[in-house]
Amino acid sequence: MLIYGPLSPGQVSFFLGIVPVCAAWLYSVYLEYKKNSASSKVGSHSDMINLVELGNEAVKEDDRAVLFEGGDLQSKSPRIRSSSLTSQITSFFLMDETFLHENRLTLRAISEFGVLLTYFYLSDRTNLFGESKKSYNRDLFLFLYLLLIIVSAITSFKIHHDDKSALISGKSIMYLNRHQTEEWKGWMQVLFLMYHYFAATEIYNAIRVFIAAYVWMTGFGNFSYYYIRKDFSIERFTQMMWRLNFLVFFSCVVLNNSYMFYYICPMHTLFTLMVYGALGIFNKYNNNGTVIAIKFIACFLVVILIWEVPGVFEAVWSPFTFFLGYADPDYHSNFFLGYADPDPDYHSKPKQSLLHEWKFRSGLDRYIWIIGMLYAYYHPTVERWMEKLEETEVKRRISIKAAVVIMSLAMGYLWYEYIYKLPKIMYNKYHPYTSWIPITVYISLRNVTQYFRSHTLTLFAWLGKITLETYISQIHIWLRSGVPDGQPKKLLCLISDYPLMNFMLTTAIYVAVSHRLFELTNTLKSTFVPLKDDKRLGYNIVAALLVSGLLYVLSSVFLRIPQMLV
């Protein structure tokens, strides 16, 4: 097996850490088997069932909070015996049987997570599996997507009526509800992924709109949560950051990639922090309309200052170049996928700043998160208007809804004709100021009737819950980059000479792995980021820093040994 490129200290650290955890889990399984055999007990639940139940407990969702992440951050932590940090680390290294038995499920989750990331590495950075070229056929692309819609409509068309009395009375219910937004994320994500797999560059502008919609949901969901729940606790904040960055952090370590390589994650982290800051500052006055208006204006002014005034962006972000910087090892690969502006004279020009990618990505959607916050703030008002509309006489109700549909279609048509059809480079210039138009049109049409609002395709909603995992996983176990920070120009090939069979197999594995990573992320979140326990959270952070530092030092020493022997 050929490994592409030398190992980094981070990669060696990961494998040094995951091997003893896997060994500890296997030993705990043996201890459990030995215990059950001795006691002759039959019918006990398996680790898998318990782990799934633990994960399910960790991912109960709020209706509108944290729409992008696809999981509620208020999950309960599993019961863990309170003990000192030193005693826990000592018990682990000494393979204390009581400790291993009590933490068997956590060890299993960590081991499984490590095995899946090892699969990432083997698929993307070795020649263990083959690779194939991308090819685009519009007929096949549309066929596959429409087939998925048909299958979803036949098998997963579902009505949601949380409030049965409202459903019977005919009042407006479930406007922009969780089921609907997850479905929205799901069908967009499928097109986003197919765009990468088939190199469907002709829908580049549509992909820009989809990413803007994700950022809109970040503003909408987080504003709804903080404005209603008023929960600005450190535990909630830490769980939010865990959900957004846990998988991407370890992907960066294992694949030796830059944080900006997975640009969706830093983007959503930034806009989540900005929503948190906007509502967290003087949060006791958030019920005051004047204060909220000032906060909205301040958000716009901050964005204008940073992204519109020349030189300010570089001054603000240059201290963070060490983790927001990005340099594509093969710049021209971006042209093929639509990741950057094509320039045939690139090699004759000075190299771009390491912050160019961050400025380009964050700048495209710099306003839409504020629009999402505005929609969230006026959501109750719009819902009341819709309830009153449903109570009016039929003729008037139909007339108003017809007017809404006509205006929405007209606005959408004008946007399509004069903005969407522009060439990619020109479109990108207009996108920050116009992306709210197709989003508003979609929301208006999707919620124009009670029937539309209360019905969803649950298959897409299911996919919408794992958008973060499918986004990160696609690069390594569905596509292939082969080098650190390299754009995925190739496809992972498990069945040679049969591209559709290979597509079916790799997609099945890829979706299954993504869903499992979603469950494991939430399971480990509930374990290591407990609610209402600042002391334990502090212990866990200190332990993570100590263990990571120790592993990094050991890995650096091991990597230097071959050089010393030469």
Side-chain angles (χ1 to χ4, degrees), residues 236-494:
R236 206 279 174 177
F237 175 81
T238 306
Q239 287 201 339
M240 172 77 74
M241 292 299 103
W242 178 288
R243 180 69 187 97
L244 284 172
N245 292 290
F246 175 72
L247 177 58
V248 72
F249 170 79
F250 282 100
S251 296
C252 290
V253 171
V254 174
L255 282 305
N256 196 25
N257 286 329
S258 303
Y259 184 42
M260 261 307 297
F261 179 72
Y262 310 93
Y263 66 90
I264 293 289
C265 298
M267 270 180 56
H268 285 275
T269 299
L270 169 66
F271 297 129
T272 296
L273 290 173
M274 295 182 81
V275 176
Y276 181 85
L279 289 181
I281 298 173
F282 301 117
N283 60 81
K284 63 180 179 179
Y285 301 108
N286 283 342
N287 291 329
N288 187 309
T290 302
V291 173
I292 285 293
I294 293 174
K295 289 188 174 187
F296 278 124
I297 294 172
C299 288
F300 278 111
L301 292 177
V302 168
V303 170
I304 291 171
L305 176 65
I306 295 177
W307 277 274
E308 306 286 1
V309 179
V312 176
F313 182 92
E314 289 73 15
V316 171
W317 295 109
S318 58
F320 305 98
T321 303
F322 68 97
F323 75 96
L324 290 176
Y326 174 75
D328 188 353
D330 185 3
Y331 185 82
H332 285 283
S333 68
N334 281 349
F335 306 160
F336 180 67
L337 289 172
Y339 284 112
D341 297 340
D343 184 355
D345 300 322
Y346 168 73
H347 288 294
S348 64
K349 294 182 178 182
K351 290 187 177 181
Q352 294 172 334
S353 165
L354 292 176
L355 289 175
H356 170 79
E357 185 77 359
W358 175 233
K359 185 176 184 179
F360 173 70
R361 296 296 181 184
S362 61
L364 282 173
D365 301 308
R366 55 186 179 269
Y367 292 110
I368 197 64
W369 63 279
I370 308 176
I371 304 299
M373 291 172 61
L374 281 167
Y375 282 35
Y377 180 70
Y378 285 105
H379 179 276
T381 303
V382 175
E383 200 164 48
R384 287 194 296 269
W385 289 349
M386 297 173 72
E387 289 178 355
K388 291 180 180 179
L389 177 60
E390 296 296 336
E391 294 174 349
T392 61
E393 59 178 338
V394 177
K395 185 177 180 179
R396 179 178 173 82
R397 182 166 69 246
I398 293 176
S399 299
I400 294 175
K401 290 184 177 181
V404 170
V405 171
I406 292 172
M407 287 190 294
S408 298
L409 291 175
M411 185 168 64
Y413 173 77
L414 293 173
W415 170 82
Y416 177 79
E417 282 292 324
Y418 297 102
I419 302 296
Y420 181 81
K421 285 186 175 181
L422 291 172
K424 179 176 68 176
I425 300 176
M426 184 63 67
Y427 173 81
N428 284 338
K429 295 179 180 179
Y430 288 98
H431 176 81
Y433 314 102
T434 61
S435 60
W436 64 272
I437 298 176
I439 292 173
T440 303
V441 169
Y442 175 80
I443 293 173
S444 298
L445 297 177
R446 185 66 176 84
N447 292 274
V448 72
T449 71
Q450 183 174 320
Y451 184 85
F452 285 178
R453 290 191 296 273
S454 59
H455 286 78
T456 61
L457 301 178
T458 56
L459 175 59
F460 284 116
W462 181 81
L463 291 170
K465 293 180 180 180
I466 58 173
T467 51
L468 180 61
E469 287 72 23
T470 52
Y471 165 70
I472 295 173
S473 301
Q474 59 155 336
I475 302 172
H476 307 298
I477 61 173
W478 206 41
L479 313 174
R480 288 191 69 168
S481 61
V483 295
D485 289 338
Q487 295 297 334
K489 298 177 291 183
K490 301 289 185 179
L491 305 176
L492 179 66
C493 184
L494 302 180

Side-chain angles (χ1 to χ4, degrees), residues 120 327 401 501 551:
F120 275 32
K401 290 184 177 181
M501 292 294 293
L551 290 174

Side-chain angles (χ1 to χ4, degrees), residues 133-299:
K133 294 182 178 180
K134 297 181 180 182
S135 64
Y136 177 63
N137 181 291
R138 184 188 297 173
D139 181 48
L140 177 62
F141 184 92
L142 294 175
F143 167 77
L144 291 174
Y145 188 66
L146 293 176
L147 179 63
L148 180 62
I149 293 177
I150 293 171
V151 171
S152 180
I154 294 173
T155 61
S156 67
F157 190 65
K158 184 178 180 181
I159 182 172
H160 306 278
H161 42 83
D162 294 346
D163 187 349
K164 295 183 179 179
S165 62
L167 182 67
I168 296 172
S169 65
K171 291 184 178 180
S172 168
I173 59 168
M174 307 194 67
Y175 166 58
L176 276 176
N177 60 81
R178 174 173 54 87
H179 310 289
Q180 183 187 128
T181 52
E182 286 176 349
E183 177 203 65
W184 186 5
K185 289 190 296 180
W187 68 257
M188 289 193 303
Q189 184 72 353
V190 171
L191 280 174
F192 179 73
L193 297 172
M194 292 178 65
Y195 160 77
H196 284 156
Y197 191 90
F198 294 103
T201 54
E202 67 176 354
I203 64 168
Y204 171 86
N205 291 354
I207 299 303
R208 296 271 68 80
V209 175
F210 296 165
I211 295 175
Y214 290 135
V215 177
W216 180 93
M217 292 184 201
T218 295
F220 180 85
N222 283 287
F223 184 95
S224 297
Y225 180 88
Y226 290 122
Y227 188 73
I228 296 172
R229 297 285 186 88
K230 300 177 177 59
D231 179 10
F232 299 93
S233 63
I234 186 63
E235 296 90 347
R236 206 279 174 177
F237 175 81
T238 306
Q239 287 201 339
M240 172 77 74
M241 292 299 103
W242 178 288
R243 180 69 187 97
L244 284 172
N245 292 290
F246 175 72
L247 177 58
V248 72
F249 170 79
F250 282 100
S251 296
C252 290
V253 171
V254 174
L255 282 305
N256 196 25
N257 286 329
S258 303
Y259 184 42
M260 261 307 297
F261 179 72
Y262 310 93
Y263 66 90
I264 293 289
C265 298
M267 270 180 56
H268 285 275
T269 299
L270 169 66
F271 297 129
T272 296
L273 290 173
M274 295 182 81
V275 176
Y276 181 85
L279 289 181
I281 298 173
F282 301 117
N283 60 81
K284 63 180 179 179
Y285 301 108
N286 283 342
N287 291 329
N288 187 309
T290 302
V291 173
I292 285 293
I294 293 174
K295 289 188 174 187
F296 278 124
I297 294 172
C299 288

Side-chain angles (χ1 to χ4, degrees), residues 2-226:
L2 177 65
I3 297 176
Y4 301 138
L7 292 174
S8 69
Q11 291 171 321
V12 176
S13 299
F14 175 81
F15 292 115
L16 284 177
I18 205 63
V19 169
V21 172
C22 290
W25 171 66
L26 291 174
Y27 184 52
S28 71
V29 172
Y30 168 74
L31 293 176
E32 179 69 10
Y33 172 77
K34 184 178 178 182
K35 177 183 176 182
N36 290 339
S37 299
S39 59
S40 300
K41 291 183 179 180
V42 182
S44 60
H45 292 296
S46 67
D47 285 356
M48 176 62 76
I49 296 176
N50 287 330
L51 187 59
V52 170
E53 291 175 351
L54 182 62
N56 289 338
E57 182 182 2
V59 296
K60 295 178 181 177
E61 293 131 346
D62 181 73
D63 277 354
R64 296 192 300 270
V66 201
L67 295 175
F68 169 71
E69 295 84 2
D72 182 21
L73 297 181
Q74 297 302 310
S75 56
K76 296 180 181 179
S77 300
R79 186 184 306 172
I80 303 177
R81 290 181 179 271
S82 59
S83 56
S84 67
L85 174 61
T86 304
S87 65
Q88 289 186 10
I89 296 177
T90 303
S91 298
F92 172 79
F93 283 108
L94 294 179
M95 292 290 181
D96 180 77
E97 295 186 3
T98 302
F99 174 83
L100 295 180
H101 183 267
E102 291 176 351
N103 296 277
R104 187 178 71 260
L105 298 182
T106 300
L107 292 172
R108 179 190 174 104
I110 298 174
S111 301
E112 194 172 347
F113 183 79
V115 169
L116 293 179
L117 284 184
T118 301
Y119 177 61
F120 275 32
Y121 183 83
L122 294 175
S123 298
D124 194 27
R125 297 300 162 81
T126 72
N127 66 345
L128 183 63
F129 305 114
E131 63 182 28
S132 58
K133 294 182 178 180
K134 297 181 180 182
S135 64
Y136 177 63
N137 181 291
R138 184 188 297 173
D139 181 48
L140 177 62
F141 184 92
L142 294 175
F143 167 77
L144 291 174
Y145 188 66
L146 293 176
L147 179 63
L148 180 62
I149 293 177
I150 293 171
V151 171
S152 180
I154 294 173
T155 61
S156 67
F157 190 65
K158 184 178 180 181
I159 182 172
H160 306 278
H161 42 83
D162 294 346
D163 187 349
K164 295 183 179 179
S165 62
L167 182 67
I168 296 172
S169 65
K171 291 184 178 180
S172 168
I173 59 168
M174 307 194 67
Y175 166 58
L176 276 176
N177 60 81
R178 174 173 54 87
H179 310 289
Q180 183 187 128
T181 52
E182 286 176 349
E183 177 203 65
W184 186 5
K185 289 190 296 180
W187 68 257
M188 289 193 303
Q189 184 72 353
V190 171
L191 280 174
F192 179 73
L193 297 172
M194 292 178 65
Y195 160 77
H196 284 156
Y197 191 90
F198 294 103
T201 54
E202 67 176 354
I203 64 168
Y204 171 86
N205 291 354
I207 299 303
R208 296 271 68 80
V209 175
F210 296 165
I211 295 175
Y214 290 135
V215 177
W216 180 93
M217 292 184 201
T218 295
F220 180 85
N222 283 287
F223 184 95
S224 297
Y225 180 88
Y226 290 122

